[in-house]
Amino acid sequence: MSPHQNQTTFSLITGIVVGFTFAFLVLAPSTVYKPSLQYYRDHPRNLHNEDEFQINSHGHMHEHHDFHNEEDMDGLEGPNAVVGDHSENDTFHRMTDTSVADALYRKVRILCWVMTGPANHETKAKHVKATWGKRCNILLFMSSQEDKSLPAIALKVKEGRDNLWAKTKESFKYVYDHYFDDADWFMKADDDTYVILENLRYMLYPTDPNDPIYFGCKFKPYVTQGYMSGGAGYVLSKEALRRFVEDAMPNKKLCRQDHAGAEDVEIGKCLANVNVLAGDSRDPEARGRFFPFSPTHHLIPGHVDKSFWYWSYIFYNETQGMDCCSDNAISFHYIDPRMMYAMEYLIYHLRPFGIGYKPQLPQLELPKLSDDNLAKINEAVDKNKQKR
Protein backbone atom coordinates (compact mmCIF):
# COMPACT_ATOMS: atom_id res chain seq x y z
CA MET A 1 0.00 0.00 0.00
CA SER A 2 1.37 3.44 -0.92
CA PRO A 3 2.12 6.14 1.72
CA HIS A 4 -0.77 8.16 0.29
CA GLN A 5 -3.17 5.26 0.74
CA ASN A 6 -1.93 4.72 4.32
CA GLN A 7 -2.56 8.38 5.14
CA THR A 8 -6.05 8.22 3.62
CA THR A 9 -6.92 5.08 5.62
CA PHE A 10 -5.63 6.64 8.85
CA SER A 11 -7.67 9.80 8.24
CA LEU A 12 -10.80 7.75 7.58
CA ILE A 13 -10.43 5.71 10.80
CA THR A 14 -9.73 8.86 12.84
CA GLY A 15 -12.83 10.53 11.43
CA ILE A 16 -15.02 7.55 12.32
CA VAL A 17 -13.73 7.43 15.92
CA VAL A 18 -14.21 11.19 16.47
CA GLY A 19 -17.66 11.04 14.88
CA PHE A 20 -18.86 8.22 17.09
CA THR A 21 -17.46 9.90 20.21
CA PHE A 22 -19.21 13.19 19.42
CA ALA A 23 -22.48 11.41 18.62
CA PHE A 24 -22.39 9.57 21.96
CA LEU A 25 -21.81 12.71 24.00
CA VAL A 26 -24.59 14.60 22.24
CA LEU A 27 -27.18 11.87 21.86
CA ALA A 28 -26.63 9.58 24.85
CA PRO A 29 -28.90 11.42 27.30
CA SER A 30 -31.87 11.55 24.92
CA THR A 31 -31.57 8.27 23.03
CA VAL A 32 -29.93 5.83 25.44
CA TYR A 33 -31.47 6.88 28.75
CA LYS A 34 -35.02 5.74 29.38
CA PRO A 35 -37.64 6.99 29.98
CA SER A 36 -37.17 9.54 27.21
CA LEU A 37 -38.42 13.11 27.16
CA GLN A 38 -41.20 12.00 24.78
CA TYR A 39 -42.68 9.88 27.57
CA TYR A 40 -43.35 13.00 29.62
CA ARG A 41 -44.87 15.04 26.79
CA ASP A 42 -48.41 14.10 27.79
CA HIS A 43 -47.62 13.23 31.42
CA PRO A 44 -45.97 16.26 33.03
CA ARG A 45 -46.85 15.06 36.52
CA ASN A 46 -44.56 12.06 36.00
CA LEU A 47 -41.62 14.45 36.01
CA HIS A 48 -41.96 14.53 39.79
CA ASN A 49 -41.80 10.76 40.34
CA GLU A 50 -40.32 9.22 37.21
CA ASP A 51 -38.68 6.20 38.82
CA GLU A 52 -39.84 4.06 41.72
CA PHE A 53 -37.42 5.87 44.00
CA GLN A 54 -36.86 4.58 47.47
CA ILE A 55 -35.06 6.54 50.09
CA ASN A 56 -31.58 5.66 51.10
CA SER A 57 -29.25 7.11 53.60
CA HIS A 58 -26.33 6.95 55.94
CA GLY A 59 -23.86 7.18 53.11
CA HIS A 60 -22.12 10.12 54.54
CA MET A 61 -18.76 11.42 53.47
CA HIS A 62 -18.58 13.53 56.59
CA GLU A 63 -15.51 15.74 56.49
CA HIS A 64 -16.64 18.78 58.46
CA HIS A 65 -14.35 21.64 59.44
CA ASP A 66 -15.14 24.87 61.26
CA PHE A 67 -14.44 28.00 59.25
CA HIS A 68 -14.06 31.31 61.05
CA ASN A 69 -12.10 33.77 58.96
CA GLU A 70 -10.20 34.30 55.73
CA GLU A 71 -6.93 33.16 57.33
CA ASP A 72 -8.51 29.75 57.91
CA MET A 73 -8.56 29.27 54.13
CA ASP A 74 -4.80 29.08 53.92
CA GLY A 75 -3.22 25.66 53.86
CA LEU A 76 -6.51 23.76 53.84
CA GLU A 77 -7.22 21.18 51.19
CA GLY A 78 -10.70 20.41 49.92
CA PRO A 79 -12.08 17.65 47.69
CA ASN A 80 -10.60 19.33 44.61
CA ALA A 81 -7.06 18.92 45.86
CA VAL A 82 -7.17 15.25 44.74
CA VAL A 83 -4.65 14.31 47.41
CA GLY A 84 -3.42 10.77 46.88
CA ASP A 85 -4.88 10.73 43.37
CA HIS A 86 -2.67 10.46 40.33
CA SER A 87 -4.30 13.63 38.99
CA GLU A 88 -2.21 15.81 41.29
CA ASN A 89 0.84 14.85 39.24
CA ASP A 90 -0.76 15.23 35.82
CA THR A 91 0.83 17.95 33.70
CA PHE A 92 -2.30 20.07 33.36
CA HIS A 93 -3.62 19.49 36.88
CA ARG A 94 -0.40 20.95 38.25
CA MET A 95 -1.45 24.18 36.51
CA THR A 96 -4.84 24.26 38.26
CA ASP A 97 -5.42 26.41 41.35
CA THR A 98 -8.33 25.12 43.47
CA SER A 99 -7.71 27.31 46.51
CA VAL A 100 -10.92 29.35 46.17
CA ALA A 101 -13.09 26.26 45.69
CA ASP A 102 -11.36 24.56 48.62
CA ALA A 103 -11.97 27.59 50.82
CA LEU A 104 -15.65 27.70 49.92
CA TYR A 105 -15.89 23.99 50.70
CA ARG A 106 -15.30 24.95 54.32
CA LYS A 107 -17.20 28.21 54.42
CA VAL A 108 -20.40 27.08 52.65
CA ARG A 109 -21.10 23.67 54.16
CA ILE A 110 -23.58 21.64 52.13
CA LEU A 111 -25.23 18.40 53.13
CA CYS A 112 -26.51 16.46 50.11
CA TRP A 113 -29.09 13.73 50.50
CA VAL A 114 -29.83 11.60 47.47
CA MET A 115 -33.19 9.91 46.97
CA THR A 116 -32.68 6.35 45.77
CA GLY A 117 -33.84 2.79 46.42
CA PRO A 118 -32.49 -0.75 46.80
CA ALA A 119 -32.80 -1.47 43.07
CA ASN A 120 -30.65 1.59 42.31
CA HIS A 121 -27.90 1.21 44.91
CA GLU A 122 -25.54 -0.53 42.47
CA THR A 123 -26.85 0.84 39.18
CA LYS A 124 -27.06 4.54 40.10
CA ALA A 125 -26.26 5.52 43.68
CA LYS A 126 -22.69 4.24 43.76
CA HIS A 127 -21.92 6.29 40.64
CA VAL A 128 -23.17 9.45 42.33
CA LYS A 129 -20.80 8.67 45.20
CA ALA A 130 -17.92 8.15 42.74
CA THR A 131 -18.51 11.43 40.90
CA TRP A 132 -20.18 14.62 42.13
CA GLY A 133 -21.24 13.30 45.55
CA LYS A 134 -17.68 13.32 46.88
CA ARG A 135 -17.70 17.14 46.80
CA CYS A 136 -20.55 17.45 49.30
CA ASN A 137 -19.46 18.20 52.87
CA ILE A 138 -21.82 15.43 53.95
CA LEU A 139 -23.30 12.87 51.55
CA LEU A 140 -26.31 10.75 52.53
CA PHE A 141 -28.25 8.17 50.53
CA MET A 142 -31.88 7.74 51.55
CA SER A 143 -33.44 4.32 50.94
CA SER A 144 -35.81 1.77 52.42
CA GLN A 145 -32.93 -0.68 52.81
CA GLU A 146 -29.58 -0.36 54.53
CA ASP A 147 -26.49 -0.69 52.36
CA LYS A 148 -23.19 -0.32 54.21
CA SER A 149 -21.19 -0.12 51.00
CA LEU A 150 -22.65 3.29 50.17
CA PRO A 151 -23.66 3.52 53.02
CA ALA A 152 -27.46 3.95 52.76
CA ILE A 153 -29.98 4.75 55.49
CA ALA A 154 -33.10 2.59 55.76
CA LEU A 155 -36.10 4.82 56.38
CA LYS A 156 -39.34 3.33 57.64
CA VAL A 157 -41.24 4.26 54.47
CA LYS A 158 -42.63 1.98 51.79
CA GLU A 159 -41.18 2.06 48.31
CA GLY A 160 -42.91 3.25 45.16
CA ARG A 161 -44.06 6.47 43.55
CA ASP A 162 -46.94 6.91 45.96
CA ASN A 163 -44.51 7.30 48.84
CA LEU A 164 -42.09 9.93 47.48
CA TRP A 165 -43.66 12.71 49.55
CA ALA A 166 -43.44 10.58 52.69
CA LYS A 167 -39.79 9.81 51.93
CA THR A 168 -39.00 13.46 51.42
CA LYS A 169 -40.48 14.37 54.79
CA GLU A 170 -38.71 11.53 56.58
CA SER A 171 -35.41 12.36 54.89
CA PHE A 172 -35.44 16.00 55.90
CA LYS A 173 -36.55 14.98 59.41
CA TYR A 174 -33.61 12.56 59.64
CA VAL A 175 -31.20 15.23 58.43
CA TYR A 176 -32.62 17.74 60.91
CA ASP A 177 -32.34 15.30 63.82
CA HIS A 178 -28.81 14.09 63.07
CA TYR A 179 -26.93 16.78 61.08
CA PHE A 180 -28.57 20.16 61.66
CA ASP A 181 -25.46 21.68 63.29
CA ASP A 182 -23.03 20.14 60.80
CA ALA A 183 -24.09 22.04 57.66
CA ASP A 184 -25.43 25.42 56.53
CA TRP A 185 -27.41 24.26 53.49
CA PHE A 186 -29.32 21.03 52.84
CA MET A 187 -29.77 19.76 49.27
CA LYS A 188 -32.12 17.10 47.95
CA ALA A 189 -31.19 15.41 44.66
CA ASP A 190 -32.26 12.31 42.74
CA ASP A 191 -29.82 9.53 41.87
CA ASP A 192 -29.89 10.63 38.23
CA THR A 193 -29.11 14.28 39.02
CA TYR A 194 -25.61 15.66 38.43
CA VAL A 195 -24.56 18.61 40.63
CA ILE A 196 -21.58 20.96 40.31
CA LEU A 197 -21.01 21.74 44.01
CA GLU A 198 -18.45 24.49 43.44
CA ASN A 199 -21.02 26.52 41.50
CA LEU A 200 -23.67 25.86 44.13
CA ARG A 201 -21.37 27.18 46.86
CA TYR A 202 -20.55 30.24 44.75
CA MET A 203 -24.26 31.02 44.32
CA LEU A 204 -25.00 30.49 48.03
CA TYR A 205 -21.98 32.40 49.33
CA PRO A 206 -23.65 35.85 49.52
CA THR A 207 -26.78 34.47 51.26
CA ASP A 208 -27.09 34.01 55.00
CA PRO A 209 -28.20 30.42 55.80
CA ASN A 210 -30.16 31.87 58.72
CA ASP A 211 -32.51 33.50 56.21
CA PRO A 212 -35.65 31.47 55.37
CA ILE A 213 -35.00 30.75 51.69
CA TYR A 214 -34.54 27.86 49.24
CA PHE A 215 -33.26 27.60 45.67
CA GLY A 216 -33.69 25.40 42.62
CA CYS A 217 -35.33 25.37 39.19
CA LYS A 218 -38.49 27.37 39.86
CA PHE A 219 -41.83 26.25 38.39
CA LYS A 220 -44.94 28.45 38.59
CA PRO A 221 -48.10 26.29 38.86
CA TYR A 222 -49.72 25.23 42.16
CA VAL A 223 -47.83 27.63 44.48
CA THR A 224 -48.20 31.40 44.23
CA GLN A 225 -44.52 32.17 44.78
CA GLY A 226 -43.45 29.15 42.72
CA TYR A 227 -41.83 25.87 43.77
CA MET A 228 -38.63 24.03 42.87
CA SER A 229 -38.42 21.08 40.48
CA GLY A 230 -37.57 17.89 42.36
CA GLY A 231 -35.46 16.33 39.62
CA ALA A 232 -33.21 19.37 39.21
CA GLY A 233 -32.57 19.31 42.95
CA TYR A 234 -33.28 22.02 45.50
CA VAL A 235 -31.39 23.38 48.49
CA LEU A 236 -32.82 24.64 51.78
CA SER A 237 -31.11 27.09 54.11
CA LYS A 238 -30.64 26.09 57.73
CA GLU A 239 -33.60 28.26 58.75
CA ALA A 240 -35.78 26.90 55.94
CA LEU A 241 -35.07 23.36 57.13
CA ARG A 242 -35.91 24.28 60.72
CA ARG A 243 -39.22 25.85 59.72
CA PHE A 244 -40.13 22.91 57.52
CA VAL A 245 -39.49 20.27 60.19
CA GLU A 246 -40.54 22.14 63.32
CA ASP A 247 -43.40 24.34 62.08
CA ALA A 248 -44.79 22.97 58.81
CA MET A 249 -44.58 19.17 58.97
CA PRO A 250 -46.52 18.65 62.24
CA ASN A 251 -49.31 21.10 61.29
CA LYS A 252 -52.03 19.71 59.04
CA LYS A 253 -53.12 23.25 58.16
CA LEU A 254 -49.65 24.06 56.82
CA CYS A 255 -48.41 20.78 55.35
CA ARG A 256 -49.99 17.75 53.75
CA GLN A 257 -50.01 14.87 56.24
CA ASP A 258 -50.72 11.87 53.98
CA HIS A 259 -48.28 10.25 51.54
CA ALA A 260 -49.95 11.35 48.29
CA GLY A 261 -48.94 14.24 46.06
CA ALA A 262 -45.83 15.29 44.16
CA GLU A 263 -42.98 15.80 46.61
CA ASP A 264 -41.67 19.01 45.03
CA VAL A 265 -45.11 20.63 44.85
CA GLU A 266 -46.01 19.62 48.41
CA ILE A 267 -42.78 20.86 49.97
CA GLY A 268 -43.20 24.07 47.98
CA LYS A 269 -46.62 24.60 49.57
CA CYS A 270 -45.33 23.78 53.07
CA LEU A 271 -42.40 26.18 52.78
CA ALA A 272 -44.57 29.01 51.48
CA ASN A 273 -46.92 28.51 54.43
CA VAL A 274 -44.09 29.09 56.90
CA ASN A 275 -42.70 32.16 55.12
CA VAL A 276 -39.78 30.52 53.33
CA LEU A 277 -38.92 32.43 50.16
CA ALA A 278 -38.63 30.61 46.82
CA GLY A 279 -35.37 32.25 45.76
CA ASP A 280 -34.17 33.34 42.34
CA SER A 281 -31.22 31.14 41.38
CA ARG A 282 -30.43 32.81 38.04
CA ASP A 283 -26.99 34.29 37.38
CA PRO A 284 -26.25 38.02 36.79
CA GLU A 285 -27.12 37.54 33.10
CA ALA A 286 -30.54 36.10 34.08
CA ARG A 287 -29.60 32.60 32.87
CA GLY A 288 -30.75 29.50 34.74
CA ARG A 289 -28.48 27.39 36.93
CA PHE A 290 -30.71 24.41 37.90
CA PHE A 291 -32.08 22.30 35.03
CA PRO A 292 -34.70 19.51 35.06
CA PHE A 293 -33.35 17.84 31.89
CA SER A 294 -30.01 16.83 30.42
CA PRO A 295 -27.78 19.52 28.82
CA THR A 296 -28.77 18.54 25.27
CA HIS A 297 -32.43 19.37 25.87
CA HIS A 298 -31.55 22.91 26.91
CA LEU A 299 -28.53 23.62 24.68
CA ILE A 300 -29.80 22.49 21.26
CA PRO A 301 -32.20 25.03 19.68
CA GLY A 302 -35.55 23.44 18.83
CA HIS A 303 -34.78 20.20 20.68
CA VAL A 304 -37.76 20.85 22.96
CA ASP A 305 -40.60 22.34 20.91
CA LYS A 306 -42.67 25.18 22.31
CA SER A 307 -45.77 22.99 22.74
CA PHE A 308 -44.01 20.98 25.43
CA TRP A 309 -45.41 21.49 28.94
CA TYR A 310 -42.07 22.72 30.30
CA TRP A 311 -42.50 26.14 28.73
CA SER A 312 -45.72 26.77 30.64
CA TYR A 313 -44.19 25.52 33.90
CA ILE A 314 -40.91 27.43 33.98
CA PHE A 315 -41.12 30.53 36.20
CA TYR A 316 -38.65 32.73 34.29
CA ASN A 317 -38.20 33.16 30.56
CA GLU A 318 -35.59 30.82 29.11
CA THR A 319 -33.98 30.72 25.68
CA GLN A 320 -32.75 27.64 23.86
CA GLY A 321 -29.19 27.36 22.64
CA MET A 322 -25.86 28.25 24.21
CA ASP A 323 -27.39 31.23 26.01
CA CYS A 324 -29.87 29.00 27.86
CA CYS A 325 -27.58 28.12 30.69
CA SER A 326 -25.30 29.91 33.10
CA ASP A 327 -21.55 29.45 32.81
CA ASN A 328 -21.92 28.57 36.49
CA ALA A 329 -24.70 26.01 35.99
CA ILE A 330 -25.38 23.90 39.08
CA SER A 331 -27.46 20.85 38.17
CA PHE A 332 -28.86 18.71 35.36
CA HIS A 333 -31.40 15.89 35.58
CA TYR A 334 -31.80 12.58 33.70
CA ILE A 335 -28.07 11.91 33.71
CA ASP A 336 -27.37 8.19 33.50
CA PRO A 337 -24.17 6.76 35.06
CA ARG A 338 -22.24 6.75 31.78
CA MET A 339 -22.97 10.42 31.23
CA MET A 340 -22.04 11.20 34.85
CA TYR A 341 -18.50 10.01 34.17
CA ALA A 342 -18.41 11.91 30.87
CA MET A 343 -19.46 15.11 32.66
CA GLU A 344 -16.95 14.43 35.42
CA TYR A 345 -14.18 14.31 32.82
CA LEU A 346 -15.38 17.29 30.79
CA ILE A 347 -15.84 19.54 33.85
CA TYR A 348 -12.95 18.52 36.10
CA HIS A 349 -10.27 17.11 33.80
CA LEU A 350 -10.47 18.47 30.25
CA ARG A 351 -8.42 21.66 29.89
CA PRO A 352 -8.29 23.99 26.85
CA PHE A 353 -4.66 25.06 26.90
CA GLY A 354 -3.95 28.77 27.07
CA ILE A 355 -7.29 29.80 28.56
CA GLY A 356 -6.93 31.00 32.12
CA TYR A 357 -9.62 31.64 34.72
CA LYS A 358 -9.26 33.84 37.79
CA PRO A 359 -12.29 33.49 40.06
CA GLN A 360 -13.13 36.28 42.49
CA LEU A 361 -15.68 36.12 45.26
CA PRO A 362 -18.08 39.05 45.64
CA GLN A 363 -16.87 41.53 48.26
CA LEU A 364 -19.99 41.99 50.31
CA GLU A 365 -21.55 41.35 53.66
CA LEU A 366 -24.10 38.59 53.97
CA PRO A 367 -27.41 40.35 53.17
CA LYS A 368 -30.68 39.88 54.98
CA LEU A 369 -33.94 39.39 53.11
CA SER A 370 -35.22 42.76 51.93
CA ASP A 371 -38.52 44.22 53.13
CA ASP A 372 -39.80 43.76 49.57
CA ASN A 373 -39.01 40.03 49.59
CA LEU A 374 -40.55 39.57 53.01
CA ALA A 375 -43.69 41.35 51.81
CA LYS A 376 -43.88 38.97 48.85
CA ILE A 377 -43.61 35.99 51.16
CA ASN A 378 -46.36 37.26 53.44
CA GLU A 379 -48.59 38.00 50.44
CA ALA A 380 -48.10 34.46 49.11
CA VAL A 381 -48.84 32.99 52.53
CA ASP A 382 -52.08 35.00 52.81
CA LYS A 383 -53.21 33.82 49.39
CA ASN A 384 -52.51 30.19 50.29
CA LYS A 385 -54.51 30.54 53.52
CA GLN A 386 -57.46 31.93 51.57
CA LYS A 387 -57.46 28.87 49.31
CA ARG A 388 -57.69 26.45 52.24
Side-chain angles (χ1 to χ4, degrees), residues 192-259:
D192 61 349
T193 307
Y194 188 95
V195 183
I196 299 95
L197 268 299
E198 293 85 357
N199 291 345
L200 178 57
R201 291 189 178 96
Y202 171 70
M203 185 198 76
L204 295 175
Y205 174 72
T207 305
D208 190 337
N210 294 311
D211 283 339
I213 192 167
Y214 82 124
F215 295 100
C217 174
K218 193 187 294 189
F219 285 163
K220 62 187 177 185
Y222 309 114
V223 184
T224 303
Q225 70 163 350
Y227 71 96
M228 306 304 171
S229 161
Y234 48 84
V235 59
L236 279 63
S237 70
K238 183 184 282 289
E239 176 60 15
L241 176 63
R242 188 198 67 76
R243 293 189 184 195
F244 176 56
V245 174
E246 288 189 4
D247 303 333
M249 278 180 55
N251 191 331
K252 64 181 180 181
K253 294 183 178 180
L254 301 176
C255 213
R256 186 168 183 163
Q257 300 295 298
D258 64 15
H259 297 346

Side-chain angles (χ1 to χ4, degrees), residues 23-321:
F24 170 78
L25 290 176
V26 172
L27 298 178
S30 57
T31 60
V32 175
Y33 185 74
K34 302 296 182 183
S36 68
L37 186 63
Q38 178 65 36
Y39 174 73
Y40 297 101
R41 185 169 302 279
D42 300 318
H43 304 86
R45 303 309 310 135
N46 287 339
L47 179 67
H48 305 291
N49 49 21
E50 64 282 353
D51 278 339
E52 298 250 331
F53 289 120
Q54 283 68 38
I55 307 183
N56 133 47
S57 191
H58 220 41
H60 58 281
M61 319 279 259
H62 189 177
E63 191 178 335
H64 163 65
H65 302 272
D66 289 326
F67 184 95
H68 299 290
N69 52 51
E70 296 299 318
E71 286 73 21
D72 289 342
M73 292 185 180
D74 297 335
L76 294 178
E77 294 173 326
N80 294 303
V82 291
V83 175
D85 187 285
H86 71 279
S87 299
E88 65 181 338
N89 296 317
D90 287 353
T91 299
F92 293 106
H93 278 269
R94 289 202 300 270
M95 301 180 189
T96 302
D97 180 0
T98 66
S99 59
V100 176
D102 294 339
L104 283 179
Y105 174 80
R106 287 158 175 82
K107 187 169 182 64
V108 184
R109 300 174 302 163
I110 299 173
L111 179 148
C112 310
W113 70 263
V114 178
M115 184 178 283
T116 189
N120 289 348
H121 289 183
E122 283 294 312
T123 59
K124 291 184 178 181
K126 77 173 186 180
H127 302 296
V128 168
K129 180 179 177 179
T131 56
W132 67 266
K134 62 189 176 184
R135 298 181 187 92
C136 302
N137 295 79
I138 302 171
L139 175 63
L140 304 173
F141 290 92
M142 300 293 183
S143 182
S144 60
Q145 180 177 307
E146 184 182 25
D147 185 340
K148 294 182 179 180
S149 68
L150 285 172
I153 294 170
L155 298 179
K156 294 180 180 180
V157 180
K158 294 181 180 180
E159 302 176 6
R161 294 180 180 179
D162 294 338
N163 293 288
L164 291 180
W165 172 226
K167 291 177 181 178
T168 299
K169 289 185 286 186
E170 289 302 312
S171 296
F172 275 119
K173 178 68 164 53
Y174 183 93
V175 165
Y176 177 78
D177 289 341
H178 294 85
Y179 294 98
F180 184 71
D181 293 328
D182 297 322
D184 308 301
W185 297 88
F186 302 84
M187 181 171 193
K188 176 264 175 185
D190 288 347
D191 57 12
D192 61 349
T193 307
Y194 188 95
V195 183
I196 299 95
L197 268 299
E198 293 85 357
N199 291 345
L200 178 57
R201 291 189 178 96
Y202 171 70
M203 185 198 76
L204 295 175
Y205 174 72
T207 305
D208 190 337
N210 294 311
D211 283 339
I213 192 167
Y214 82 124
F215 295 100
C217 174
K218 193 187 294 189
F219 285 163
K220 62 187 177 185
Y222 309 114
V223 184
T224 303
Q225 70 163 350
Y227 71 96
M228 306 304 171
S229 161
Y234 48 84
V235 59
L236 279 63
S237 70
K238 183 184 282 289
E239 176 60 15
L241 176 63
R242 188 198 67 76
R243 293 189 184 195
F244 176 56
V245 174
E246 288 189 4
D247 303 333
M249 278 180 55
N251 191 331
K252 64 181 180 181
K253 294 183 178 180
L254 301 176
C255 213
R256 186 168 183 163
Q257 300 295 298
D258 64 15
H259 297 346
E263 52 97 2
D264 49 6
V265 175
E266 296 305 327
I267 194 172
K269 292 177 180 177
C270 297
L271 293 174
N273 288 338
V274 290
N275 291 9
V276 173
L277 178 68
D280 182 353
S281 63
R282 293 176 298 168
D283 72 5
E285 286 71 43
R287 298 174 299 190
R289 290 195 258 210
F290 292 80
F291 296 95
F293 302 114
S294 68
T296 53
H297 291 99
H298 298 277
L299 288 167
I300 301 175
H303 193 73
V304 181
D305 65 71
K306 290 298 180 179
S307 65
F308 189 57
W309 63 265
Y310 173 72
W311 301 111
S312 64
Y313 269 58
I314 197 73
F315 196 91
Y316 303 107
N317 291 330
E318 180 183 315
T319 61
Q320 288 184 294

